[in-house]
Structure formats: C-alpha cells, structure tokens
Amino acid sequence: MKIFIKIIKVIFTILLFAYSIAIIYLIALAPKEKRFKIAEHSQGFYLSQTMFDILIFQNANYSDAYFEKSVAFNKRGEYAKGFELLDKAVKLDPKLHLGYRGWMKLRKLRDYENALRDFNKLDSLTPNFVDSPWGEDIDFLRGECYYGKKNYKKAIELFNRNIKNQKEDWADIHTFVYLGLCEYELGNYKKAISEFKRGLKQSENLCEAHFGIAKSYKELGQMDKAKEFLLKAEENIAYKRDDVYNEFLNEIYLSEILEFKQQLNK
C-alpha cells in the first residue's frame, strides 16, 4: 500500500511539474504571436495582463502588446493608465493605432479637438486612402467631432464627404441624421427635413430622423406634421442608436419625445 501511495505521489509530482513547465512555456517562451492571441482572448484577467507585461519586457517595440493591454483599462474607465499604454502603441506604430486613439478620444472622452488631431494625422500618413478607424469612415468621425464642437458648417462638409466616400446607399445612416441636425441648428428647417428624409429612404425605423423632422415642422409652425412625425419617432424608439458602452452625440431618449409631445399638446 505504501509503495502504491509513493507511486501516486511521484505521478502527481511529475504531472504538476509538467503542467508548470507548460504554463511557463506559454507565458514566457512560446512564439510571441501565440502568446498574444492567448492573452487577447482572456483580456482583462490577471494572467492576460501578466502575459502582456512579459511580451512588452521581451519585445519593447511590440506596439500591439501595448495597445491590447490598454483596452482593458479603458473599458474599466481607467483612462490615465489606458492612454499611457495606448500613447506608447501610437508612438511605435502611428498608422496602426492613431485611428483607435482618435476614436477613443471622440467616443469616450468627448475630446473633439485632440480626436481631430489624431484623425488628421492618420489621414496625412495614408495619402490616397480612406481610413476607417475602428470600422467607421474617418470623415464620418471627423464630422461628429465638428458637430460636438458646434461647428455645424464644417460638420456638414465632412458628412457630405463621408457620403462621397461610401456612396449614398452605403454611408452610415446617421450621416443623414447628423446633416439634418446641423441644418436644424443653423435654422435651415426645410433643408433639415430634406436631410432627415434621406435617412428615412434607407430605413423607415430611423426614429432620430422622425424626431428631427417633428422638431423642424414645429419651428415652421406646421403642428399637425410635427405631431405626425413625433408619433412615428415614439413608435420606433426601440430602433434608436445606442450602445452599452457609449452615449452617442445624436442619441435620443423616450423621455425627450414624451416631453416634446407635452409641448405640442399645450
């Protein structure tokens, strides 16, 4: 019996040793691309961040490791640490990471001026190519920056360039919403309605466009039309533009629609 227990202990020790060697290999000795993939898919966990630390220690110029390590911090709202890492990634490979940093500054920090600097710098590094930071047309994002800065004429220029880049049927549908919002802010209510309706040609469920049209008709004194489109906005609120992580600049809420309805019914 004692011999059997000793054998079991030896086998267990060998297995534990083999497991430890395998872990050490995966963390510190495997090809960096393989380790990067493992860490990327367990993003935010202690093991993942440790693997990125080792990758960075072993490969000081590995921009992707800095970038991917930054993502977990930024998702948690720890932007000081997240951007410290992201800035290093951008310094090492600006073409690859400038777009994401600009996108983060726009969508997370509402830092329109510095987001524009990143987008413009990226654009200058890639002549004769239309960039798509984080999967969105660069001129759409620049248009959002100018909209956030309340420079509506410049925003219109960029949103129209986005349509030229992507073509009418392929441009982000909220390009037309933003064009309508810009014209509305400039007091061009008929033009605003026309732009919102371009979006409705793409989708009748575009509640932001219905709401914008309702507000425009109110300014034009056409209350029946305003009520008609406000009802459509309310009916389609489930299709609103939203995201678990971000509040969009043109995001609307049911409470706004109901408040506007009360104003119209006075």
Side-chain angles (χ1 to χ4, degrees):
M1 185 67 178
K2 290 182 178 179
I3 295 175
F4 178 73
I5 292 173
K6 286 183 178 180
I7 292 171
I8 293 297
K9 286 182 178 179
V10 170
I11 293 172
F12 181 76
T13 301
I14 292 171
L15 289 174
L16 183 60
F17 179 74
Y19 177 77
S20 299
I21 293 296
I23 292 296
I24 292 170
Y25 172 76
L26 283 175
I27 291 176
L29 301 173
K32 71 176 185 179
E33 292 79 10
K34 182 176 182 178
R35 285 184 283 155
F36 180 86
K37 285 293 183 184
I38 294 170
E40 181 184 27
H41 289 123
S42 56
Q43 187 187 83
F45 290 100
Y46 178 77
L47 176 62
S48 170
Q49 297 298 73
T50 300
M51 290 178 74
F52 285 131
D53 285 337
I54 294 171
L55 281 168
I56 289 169
F57 176 76
Q58 294 174 333
N59 308 272
N61 295 323
Y62 194 11
S63 70
D64 283 352
Y66 288 103
F67 162 75
E68 198 63 41
K69 186 179 179 184
S70 78
V71 173
F73 288 104
N74 287 328
K75 280 186 175 179
R76 292 196 295 262
E78 298 177 41
Y79 296 122
K81 182 60 178 178
F83 271 84
E84 178 186 337
L85 292 162
L86 185 54
D87 289 345
K88 290 178 181 177
V90 170
K91 186 176 181 179
L92 289 167
D93 194 338
K95 282 186 182 180
L96 189 59
H97 303 297
L98 262 173
Y100 175 74
R101 191 175 72 177
W103 184 91
M104 285 291 297
K105 288 175 180 177
L106 167 61
R107 291 284 166 77
K108 300 291 187 181
L109 304 183
R110 296 289 192 260
D111 185 356
Y112 308 119
E113 198 62 49
N114 283 311
L116 276 170
R117 286 197 184 99
D118 280 351
F119 293 142
N120 291 339
K121 178 64 175 177
L122 175 62
D123 200 26
S124 71
L125 294 173
T126 55
N128 304 314
F129 179 79
V130 178
D131 296 286
S132 298
W134 221 233
E136 299 187 70
D137 183 86
I138 192 169
D139 288 318
F140 178 80
L141 294 172
R142 286 193 284 205
E144 281 194 310
C145 289
Y146 281 111
Y147 179 82
K149 285 162 57 70
K150 302 186 188 302
N151 187 340
Y152 302 117
K153 289 184 178 180
K154 186 65 177 179
I156 288 171
E157 176 188 332
L158 271 299
F159 286 126
N160 279 323
R161 193 188 300 171
N162 168 57
I163 295 171
K164 183 179 179 180
N165 293 342
Q166 304 296 319
K167 309 306 178 190
E168 183 95 7
D169 293 338
W170 293 98
D172 189 310
I173 196 169
H174 286 276
T175 305
F176 307 108
V177 174
Y178 274 121
L179 284 170
L181 290 172
C182 289
E183 296 292 355
Y184 178 88
E185 293 294 341
L186 292 170
N188 304 324
Y189 304 119
K190 290 183 179 179
K191 179 65 173 175
I193 290 169
S194 174
E195 297 291 7
F196 287 129
K197 286 185 175 180
R198 289 172 74 187
L200 291 175
K201 287 181 181 178
Q202 307 287 342
S203 172
E204 276 294 325
N205 301 125
L206 192 59
C207 59
E208 294 87 355
H210 288 300
F211 190 43
I213 292 173
K215 291 169 68 177
S216 299
Y217 273 126
K218 178 182 179 293
E219 295 298 327
L220 292 170
Q222 299 183 43
M223 297 306 177
D224 289 341
K225 282 284 189 181
K227 291 178 181 179
E228 174 190 340
F229 280 92
L230 185 62
L231 178 60
K232 291 180 180 180
E234 185 177 355
E235 290 173 345
N236 289 282
I237 191 63
Y239 300 97
K240 61 170 279 191
R241 188 188 192 203
D242 64 359
D243 185 287
V244 175
Y245 299 106
N246 306 300
E247 180 183 42
F248 293 106
L249 294 180
N250 68 324
E251 189 163 346
I252 65 172
Y253 298 91
L254 180 60
S255 58
E256 290 180 81
I257 293 173
L258 296 178
E259 183 180 345
F260 190 63
K261 181 187 284 188
Q262 287 183 334
Q263 294 176 17
L264 290 181
N265 290 330
K266 284 182 180 180

